Amino acid sequence: MTNKNGTVYVMSDSLGETAEQVIKAAASQFNSGTTSINRYPYISDKVGVEEVIKEAIKENAMVAYTFVCPDLREFSERMCKQFQLPYVDILGPVMEQFSKITSVKPKLEPGVYRKLDEQYFKRIEAIEFAVKYDDGKDPRGILRADVVLLGVSRTSKTPLSMYLAHKQIKAANVPLVPEIKPPRELYEINPKKIIGLTISPSQLNEIRRERLLALGLGDHSSYASMERILSELDYAEEIMKGLNCPVLEVTNKAVEETASKLLEIIREENDND
């Protein structure tokens, strides 16, 4: 069976970015088909390797890996050969040659390179987190977040999440809509990790009207009506009171100003822990 789309399964005991970049560089030399890369980071045992290989078998995919542990490299090679999967050990041969020319044994410690610029990678991880768990896309992010932002539509939840991400803080945000029950995960975490955002009805009305016009829609939609806005804000206030979480007023405030207040709250909570 051929693999017309050039599907590649990437495994790593760290982020796997090195392997992904190498595969992309190689794939750019071919014009046929679209390469699909499935990355599996932080694999630390043979069970994890086996699970990925089983998925790769279904698509007759190529397997690439950057394991520093010799046992995981050898196990991956054996499995790929057993199931006749094309494979490439990206890191192993280079490490072996370095060991020969330097007469020094490798540390065999995953993520050493990443630790050279840990702040950079923490920021990247936080940005990826903010994108993945933006606008309540996946409520599971609530349980993993450093902070969860709540508010009705157009209260700067997404810009604030991204701003915090650049400060290496993993932020998830959840929109509050009267017709949709808040995710149960909100009630399973410390309410001090949740921060509500509120805004004056008049400014929200103005922001929503401008948003509708920017989208080429009329500004008479119920989305921008004062009746709807008051209903949403009342509902949001009720939810926030029920959660007993801190609430920040964002009316006439720049994202940086609100973020500064957010960071103060986060620092205070960390100091009290």
Side-chain angles (χ1 to χ4, degrees), residues 209 212-213 217-225:
R209 288 176 62 190
L212 288 171
L213 291 173
L217 304 172
D219 62 355
H220 301 297
S221 166
S222 62
Y223 174 72
S225 74

Side-chain angles (χ1 to χ4, degrees), residues 14-15 17 42 109-128 165-170:
S14 188
L15 278 173
E17 288 184 327
Y42 303 117
E109 181 184 343
V112 172
Y113 173 71
R114 187 167 67 91
K115 290 176 184 175
L116 296 176
D117 195 0
E118 192 170 351
Q119 288 190 341
Y120 167 78
F121 282 100
K122 281 185 176 179
R123 186 162 64 249
I124 295 300
E125 288 174 16
I127 291 170
E128 290 178 346
H166 283 276
K167 300 292 184 181
Q168 303 168 31
I169 295 170
K170 293 180 179 177

Side-chain angles (χ1 to χ4, degrees), residues 4-18:
K4 293 181 179 179
N5 291 327
T7 304
V8 182
Y9 280 62
V10 167
M11 299 186 291
S12 177
D13 43 20
S14 188
L15 278 173
E17 288 184 327
T18 300

